[in-house]
Amino acid sequence: LGLSLAALALGVVTTGLVFVGFRGYWADYLYQRAFYQSDGAAKISLLRRASVTNPFLAEYQIILARTLANQAQASVQQGLGDRASREIAESVQAGWRAVNLSPNRVAAWETLGSVYQSAQGLVEGVGEWSIKSFEKAIEYIEAIGFINILEHDRKLLAYARKKLGELPGIIL
């Protein structure tokens, strides 16, 4: 009886891990497909699906928020104010999900600030919210240290050049 319970538990755990792994893979597939879409609605649909399939990745929320904010600006230019308001509202929600998932990530705060900035003219008082979000992003940059960021970028660039130089036919 003990062995069969252990086997059952192992089977349940394995099935759960496979399911979670597949969801992560599928979400990434949807996310990558979104970048090949020229149609804004199709791109947003894929990004929404990716963020629902794997709601724990801030990157999906950041890109969804930015894409929705861009789409809202296009809707405003087309005279579709109600649609733009819905897109901005969803964009703000995605921005906040990104901040909640990764509160120390500069890109999440910068995205939220940009989303608020794009809502100016549609929502009262949004300028102040934008400034506070950008201030939070700057706080994290200062906490990390600008010199540390530059040094990290320098190391990444050196690594990328090294790896590119190893590829046949690539001359740097």
Side-chain angles (χ1 to χ4, degrees):
L1 181 66
L3 184 59
S4 63
L5 283 176
L8 178 64
L10 182 62
V12 168
V13 168
T14 302
T15 302
L17 289 174
V18 168
F19 178 72
V20 169
F22 178 76
R23 283 182 63 100
Y25 175 78
W26 183 248
D28 203 45
Y29 170 75
L30 295 168
Y31 177 75
Q32 294 298 323
R33 273 192 47 208
F35 287 97
Y36 294 102
Q37 298 296 319
S38 58
D39 176 47
K43 181 179 232 170
I44 288 169
S45 175
L46 287 167
L47 289 171
R48 281 179 182 140
R49 288 173 54 201
S51 67
V52 167
T53 303
N54 184 357
F56 306 109
L57 203 55
E59 185 68 22
Y60 296 167
Q61 304 299 331
I62 288 169
I63 299 301
L64 177 60
R66 291 177 181 182
T67 304
L68 283 162
N70 290 339
Q71 186 64 40
Q73 292 300 317
S75 294
V76 166
Q77 291 174 355
Q78 296 169 1
L80 304 171
D82 288 344
R83 179 173 152 185
S85 294
R86 287 190 305 273
E87 290 163 343
I88 284 294
E90 187 179 353
S91 181
V92 168
Q93 290 171 352
W96 272 110
R97 282 192 302 269
V99 164
N100 289 327
L101 285 167
S102 194
N104 297 332
R105 190 168 179 182
V106 172
W109 286 103
E110 183 273 330
T111 295
L112 188 59
S114 295
V115 166
Y116 282 142
Q117 192 174 39
S118 68
Q120 287 185 355
L122 297 173
V123 180
E124 277 297 314
V126 78
E128 184 178 325
W129 301 339
S130 178
I131 291 168
K132 286 182 181 181
S133 297
F134 286 130
E135 286 173 346
K136 196 71 167 172
I138 291 167
E139 277 180 37
Y140 286 112
I141 289 173
E142 289 173 345
I144 294 167
F146 196 67
I147 297 300
N148 292 332
I149 294 170
L150 291 175
E151 181 63 22
H152 180 71
D153 284 351
R154 187 192 63 73
K155 288 178 182 176
L156 283 175
L157 182 59
Y159 177 77
R161 283 187 176 148
K162 178 184 174 216
K163 289 298 185 181
L164 282 171
E166 293 173 2
L167 295 174
I170 303 286
I171 300 171
L172 299 174

